[in-house]
Amino acid sequence: MVVFAIMVCGLLTACNRQSSATADAQEFVPKAPDYADSTMWITEDRDPERTGADVFYVVSTWEEDWKTEDSIVSHYADVWNATHREHMASEINRAAAYMAPGNRFYAPYYRHTTIDAWVTQNEDTINRRIALAMNDVCEAFDCFEQKRDKSRPLIIAGFSQGGRAVVELLKHISDETYKQLAAAYVLGYKVTPEDTAKCRHVRPALGEKDTGVTICYNTVKDVQYAKPVIAASCIAINPVNWRTDATSATLHDTITVTLSPEHHVLVVKGYSGSEYEPYKELINVGDIHSCEPWLYSDCLRKNIAVRAKAWRAH
């Protein structure tokens, strides 16, 4: 993988809407990332013709709560910990394998909130702990946006907690930056009515080629298995046929993917998702949360190119 340095950023603008995280009692908060340090990024330039997009990807959740040598608990990944970076890199590199070709790809390490926040299924706990992570992502994005070529289409994508970050970035970006947006991909997370009410930059995708839009989906075996803390979305689109109705689509010849317009989730038949083991009764239990960036990767790869081309044609 070709990795190149991000140029030194000037002053970083933190998310205006995010306050600093309210610390739980006796918790350890790892040192903040320095996004002028190239080791805080995985980047690829795979656009020799200079006709593609700039893709900003936000990785999902990889760490559980952990303790320092002094037995103080931490609810956040440590970007200065080589093992934590290795965990995040395993997903980032896999996403880059299909998002980077033909594009410039950027993915920051950040102090993502541990999975334990979501296991509580308590929105207050999640929102309190995630503020720190979202500030990191916004600072990374501001560094990226300051240096990138604004004549190129912008793609923002993220999976799970990274999908939540995509929603927060849409709230964070200026109207001028929004004009550069070809599409935002919220993979395996929700867009709520509150999100759409607060943010005019969240425009649901209605088809395959519209630009400045948000693509959102979650995958289940049956609608009863949708997890509200992750999948209670008010928008969704089928990434196989790019329809917002219940028209079924066939994937890989044997898998049927059907959007439930009522529940805003994808219902799949002919795919067990058995390679993804259930985790703490939260994910991969009737839902197939862990498949989101991978099952539809070919569809997403093609669609990024389609929307980038459509943006350039405007």
Side-chain angles (χ1 to χ4, degrees), residues 189-223:
Y189 202 75
K190 61 190 176 184
V191 173
T192 68
E194 291 77 15
D195 293 328
T196 59
K198 290 179 180 178
C199 182
R200 62 181 178 273
H201 297 156
V202 178
R203 290 180 47 233
L206 300 178
E208 181 183 10
K209 298 180 180 180
D210 43 355
T211 60
V213 295
T214 299
I215 292 93
C216 178
Y217 63 79
N218 288 273
T219 304
V220 297
K221 297 179 183 179
D222 187 274
V223 295

Side-chain angles (χ1 to χ4, degrees), residues 54 66-67 87 106 114 167 169 177 180 186-187 207 212 218 236 271 290:
D54 287 347
W66 55 280
K67 291 184 178 181
H87 291 165
Y106 306 78
T114 60
V167 177
L169 282 172
T177 299
Q180 303 159 20
V186 179
L187 312 179
N218 288 273
Y271 173 66
S290 297

Side-chain angles (χ1 to χ4, degrees), residues 155-158 163 166 183-187 214-215 242 300 303-304 307:
I155 297 288
I156 306 174
V166 172
Y185 294 80
V186 179
L187 312 179
T214 299
I215 292 93
W242 301 105
L300 297 173
N303 191 247
I304 287 171
R307 293 187 196 272

Side-chain angles (χ1 to χ4, degrees), residues 55-311:
V55 179
F56 185 89
Y57 181 79
V58 188
V59 68
S60 69
T61 310
W62 278 88
E63 302 307 322
E64 297 179 332
D65 278 359
W66 55 280
K67 291 184 178 181
T68 67
E69 293 180 356
D70 298 330
S71 297
I72 301 175
V73 70
S74 181
H75 302 303
Y76 308 98
D78 183 353
V79 299
W80 302 99
N81 180 306
T83 299
H84 289 194
R85 286 203 308 276
E86 182 180 352
H87 291 165
M88 288 184 267
S90 65
E91 177 189 321
I92 293 170
N93 289 338
R94 192 176 175 192
Y98 71 88
M99 291 187 181
N103 302 305
R104 295 173 181 167
F105 179 91
Y106 306 78
Y109 297 116
Y110 69 108
R111 292 174 293 181
H112 64 259
T113 308
T114 60
I115 188 65
D116 299 76
W118 273 269
V119 171
T120 69
Q121 301 193 51
N122 182 293
E123 296 283 358
D124 290 338
T125 299
I126 294 167
N127 290 333
R128 183 176 71 252
R129 293 186 187 172
I130 205 171
L132 182 80
M134 297 301 99
N135 271 322
D136 281 0
V137 173
C138 288
E139 289 197 358
F141 183 85
D142 288 345
C143 177
F144 154 81
E145 178 65 12
Q146 181 182 345
K147 295 300 179 180
R148 79 178 198 89
D149 180 352
K150 309 296 193 302
S151 69
R152 295 170 58 84
L154 170 65
I155 297 288
I156 306 174
F159 168 43
S160 195
Q161 183 169 173
R164 167 68 178 264
V166 172
V167 177
E168 298 305 324
L169 282 172
L170 290 171
K171 299 173 186 176
H172 170 66
I173 62 176
S174 67
D175 290 345
E176 189 61 32
T177 299
Y178 174 71
K179 292 176 183 177
Q180 303 159 20
L181 184 71
Y185 294 80
V186 179
L187 312 179
Y189 202 75
K190 61 190 176 184
V191 173
T192 68
E194 291 77 15
D195 293 328
T196 59
K198 290 179 180 178
C199 182
R200 62 181 178 273
H201 297 156
V202 178
R203 290 180 47 233
L206 300 178
E208 181 183 10
K209 298 180 180 180
D210 43 355
T211 60
V213 295
T214 299
I215 292 93
C216 178
Y217 63 79
N218 288 273
T219 304
V220 297
K221 297 179 183 179
D222 187 274
V223 295
Q224 66 179 305
Y225 297 119
K227 303 297 189 299
V229 72
I230 295 171
S233 188
C234 65
I235 69 171
I237 193 168
N238 189 328
V240 183
N241 60 10
W242 301 105
R243 300 285 294 259
T244 57
D245 59 17
T247 302
S248 296
T250 301
L251 179 67
H252 304 317
D253 297 328
T254 58
I255 302 171
T256 302
V257 183
T258 307
L259 175 67
S260 168
E262 178 183 358
H263 297 93
H264 305 290
V265 293
L266 304 176
V267 180
V268 297
K269 303 295 181 183
Y271 173 66
S272 68
S274 58
E275 64 267 42
Y276 305 114
E277 295 183 358
Y279 183 82
K280 295 189 176 182
E281 299 184 358
L282 175 65
I283 58 174
N284 304 327
V285 183
D287 66 304
I288 318 178
H289 178 73
S290 297
C291 82
E292 308 296 14
W294 322 121
L295 182 62
Y296 313 102
S297 60
D298 193 50
C299 303
L300 297 173
R301 175 185 61 79
K302 292 176 181 177
N303 191 247
I304 287 171
V306 166
R307 293 187 196 272
K309 183 178 180 179
W311 184 91

